[in-house]
Amino acid sequence: MHKPGDVMLGGLFEVHYTSVLPELTFTSEPHQLICQGFDPPGFRHAMTMAFAIDEINKNSNLLPNVTLGYSLYDNCATLVIGFSAALSLASGREEQFLLEETCLGTPPVLGIVGDTISTSSIATSDVIGLFKLPIVSYFATCSCLSDRGRFPSFFRTIPSDAFQVRAMIQILKHFGWTWAGLLVSDDDYGLHVARSFQSDLAQSGGGCLAYSEILPWGDNPAEIKRIVEVMKTSTARVVIVFAHRIHMIQLMEEVVRQNVTGLQWMASEAWTASPVLQTPRLMPYLGGTLGIAIRRGEIPGLREFLLRIRPDLHGNNDFGHSMVRQFWEQTFQCRFAPQPADWVEAGGDLCTGDEDLESVTEFLDVSNLRPEYNIYKAVYALAYALDDMLQCEPGRGPFSRHSCATLQTLEPWQLVYYMEKVNFTTPFGDQVSFDENGDALPIYDIMNWLWLPDGRTKVQSVGVVKKLASKGEELTLDEDKIFWNFESKQPPQSVCSESCPPGTRMARKKGQPMCCFDCVPCSEGKFSNETDSMECTSCPADFWSSAQSDHCVPKETEFLSYNEPLGICLTTASLLGTFVCAVVLAIFIYHRSTPMVRANNSELSFLLLVSLKLCFLCSLLFIGRPRLWTCQLRHAGFGISFVLSVSCILVKTVVVLAVFKASKQGGGASLKWFGPLQQRGTVMVLTSLQGAICTAWLVSSSPAPHKNTQYHNDKIVYECVVGSTIGFGVLLGYIGLLAILSFLLAFLARNLPDNFNEAKLITFSMLIFCAVWVAFVPAYVNSPGKYADAVEVFAILASSFGLLVALFGPKCYIILVRPERNTKKAIMGRGTPKT
């Protein structure tokens, strides 16, 4: 379709969406290629360019005194046709061109709007770019076209796929879809997307691809069937498609045949707004589709311009082109004369050219202009660049010697210079400019395919994604408006593995993508408090992981407490022993003048009762949370009080032996040398030695509280470390030495001829004492934590009760129950022979 003008602009549009290529020969001509499948939206795209040029020609403020013309070509969605059309535009349609005041033939174009397909744009720009002829595409999105070194004169009013891919990834991350399939067309558009999508997805950490398949061109049902089977068997519920309408038509035929439902489709801008796919037959499968769409715009006056389209049967208007006739026949399902024979036989209608175009609402609907808006901006970008060039003042121009370009001497590269400087605002309010790569401001609408209850379909905008200079891409979604084609009416889940909850970590499955993993519980002492943690973190020293391993809790502290049953029992026993000692002491004080109390030095008996009371009380130091002073006092108090007790018993044993020896002829001197003073002195000396041992121990290596985590990982066992094992051993050894010595002496005196021989009681008490402490050593060594303290307390209480009962039990029995035996005669009656 052509319209003459002072300056010509070219256009490449997809008025047919497929073609049949006959077998080519050396004599084949381009017009022999057969285009099929008339595409009304593609025709409207071409008409939009015609409208924009017509509007510019009517605008006295833009390009005054210059009339723009156009040459529009159909590329039939075929590389060879689009490439041939571009060469025709660049070289001119006539064999001869004369630049004179009156030009013969159509002048070559100064800029081209197109092509629609990235592959065609690459091929065209590779050649046309050599001559620096500006090409402004409204639909080619391949990121490779941003290579300024290879495509120096290429511009576009649609964002590149690099941004579209990042926008798709933003949507995936927004809904948590980490497992998706990718389908791309077998051309530069699709293959570049596949590479950049996988790369960007890996860098963003937003997910993985379950599969990546290439949709073939042409008729290849076996490959399409294989791809649909891959989709059907995959666990990925989200399918992303970067392809053209023809690919989607072929793909959906197989999807319907295999009845593959339950998928969430994501569409690239190439087919997001394609009405050919929005049919009642396909909507059960494609309903709810989310797609990236070209920015919507408004073009005032376009509808009125489209209404003026009429097939010119008499050569009276600008639309006398076969494309208009084809559009008319496609729209009204009629044929112009002469009608094909098969059409006549089928009873088809005859086109008159007077049909009512007003009734074709879809073609005239200008409320959702997207590719058209990009075409409109592309034409105006060329017009503004040309206008800036013509306003150049001689001597102040940007070129050599400050010269300006003119229409008569214009070189294409000069217009490229002004294209790079273009900056204007559309009537819709959008700013149009190009960056250093020839790309426009990246912005997309997010579209959703709504399937209405009455069977109608609607493509609605549910958000926008745009690039911000400060923080990358910004995604805005109105989730309440989104239609989900699932029973739940909620976004689907598409993950290879369910998210790992807090308390677990991800462990990748061998040989599978990073999104496929097992959730391994954190080991003891480690936690993770976030979803999908890669590692578990160790808890601090005094903390342990919770039961769910999702946070750390203070470790349970363990020590022999007054509040637990064991501590209560031991405390009760200790206080009971103290009380019994006090009672016995009171009895002895009350009966201090009786022979039973006075026998064998009552002073030592009183001192022994006091020391036993101290033994009972020192056991309380082993109960409760260990502190420095309790750790120091517990062993020192235990050692000194027990040495005091055993010293008293030892002295009493020696006294028994001395008394017996004194009763024999010539043995009175033994008591003289071991009287009360010597007895007290012996007790004091023996006890002082233990005091010295304790002092040296405390000074050199004092016992101290210690947090022990060796017994239990989840507990802190508070205990007193003895500091010096040697010191502790010497303390126990000294007590043991005195106890054994007392036992041996008492054993030797067990058969002395007294009615009440205290040596027997001492022998029995020392036997109990030694047995308890011999059993204590292995029990103490093998008892962990608080149980070691409990064993030591039990040994103290058992040995103390043993001494108390064995030594004072019989005496209290005689004093309280058998007072008639509490006489000197009865006590000494053992030596009188029986009658």
Side-chain angles (χ1 to χ4, degrees), residues 230-248:
V230 170
M231 297 165 52
K232 191 173 183 179
T233 57
S234 174
T235 57
R237 296 294 87 199
V238 174
V239 182
I240 305 165
V241 184
F242 282 85
H244 307 283
R245 284 175 294 178
I246 185 61
H247 295 104
M248 282 302 299

Side-chain angles (χ1 to χ4, degrees), residues 7 15 137 219 289 297 479 494 497 519 536 551 733 743:
V7 175
V15 183
S137 177
D219 188 21
T289 294
E479 293 190 45
S494 187
S497 300
C519 295
C536 295
H551 66 284
F743 172 74

